[in-house]
Amino acid sequence: MSGTPPVVLARRPATREDIPFLLALRQRTMNGHVVASGAEVSDAHHMARLMHRFECAEVLLHEGEPVGLLKVSRDPHEWVLIQIQLAPRYQGGGIGTGLLAEVVAEAERAGVDLTLSVLKANPARALYARFGFLVERESEFSYEMRRKP
């Protein structure tokens, strides 16, 4: 996307009507990382992850069309970055980095820790580390990371 103006995304709360898009997005963006990490890759598993804290899900829109998902639980004492997913053609242009920067800044203003879980094979771990997330523990398939305000 170099040489083109930056892509500006709008957000809106996810609805049940978004589930088919969000499930397909999750499958396209996560299957490779899940398989590489040795974890389960099934429609049922993807659906369970999609529905976890669904009330926190926001659909990312470009020119009115859904292109991604941002899911952050904003509980009083700790926020959890549950998912950032972008359609492949929107990856690699800094959009995910910008979304992460927004969430980090919001958590700092709120004075809360921000946590996340990242699959071991997901290269996004390096991005999270650049933003100050530190690995607190690891499971068989993922790292649990935390960033203090």
Side-chain angles (χ1 to χ4, degrees):
M1 288 198 230
S2 61
T4 60
V7 173
V8 176
L9 299 182
R11 298 183 202 177
R12 67 163 170 76
T15 67
R16 301 210 55 82
E17 288 74 32
D18 294 310
I19 291 174
F21 163 75
L22 294 171
L23 181 59
L25 175 71
R26 180 167 177 82
Q27 291 165 330
R28 277 197 324 269
T29 60
M30 294 302 295
N31 275 354
H33 303 307
V34 173
V35 169
S37 297
E40 177 186 354
V41 60
S42 68
D43 289 350
H45 180 76
H46 284 312
M47 183 59 82
R49 292 292 300 143
L50 175 62
M51 297 312 295
H52 172 72
R53 299 297 307 260
F54 189 76
E55 73 279 5
C56 301
E58 294 178 287
V59 174
L60 304 172
L61 306 162
H62 180 242
E63 297 177 350
E65 292 300 313
V67 299
L69 169 68
L70 175 65
K71 192 187 304 182
V72 180
S73 71
R74 292 172 172 90
D75 296 323
H77 303 292
E78 177 180 276
W79 290 9
V80 180
L81 176 57
I82 301 169
Q83 293 165 329
I84 293 180
Q85 292 164 348
L86 290 168
R89 72 181 206 162
Y90 292 90
Q91 295 175 6
I95 296 170
T97 301
L99 286 167
L100 181 58
E102 287 178 31
V103 173
V104 164
E106 289 174 25
E108 280 184 350
R109 284 191 299 274
V112 296
D113 286 8
L114 182 60
T115 66
L116 58 85
S117 177
V118 61
L119 288 168
K120 288 183 173 179
N122 189 334
R125 178 179 171 216
L127 173 64
Y128 300 139
R130 285 198 310 272
F131 273 85
F133 286 87
L134 300 173
V135 174
E136 280 196 321
R137 53 188 184 280
E138 66 180 271
S139 67
E140 184 179 357
F141 306 116
S142 61
Y143 295 106
E144 306 300 318
M145 302 181 79
R146 177 178 301 273
R147 184 183 191 285
K148 299 212 173 268

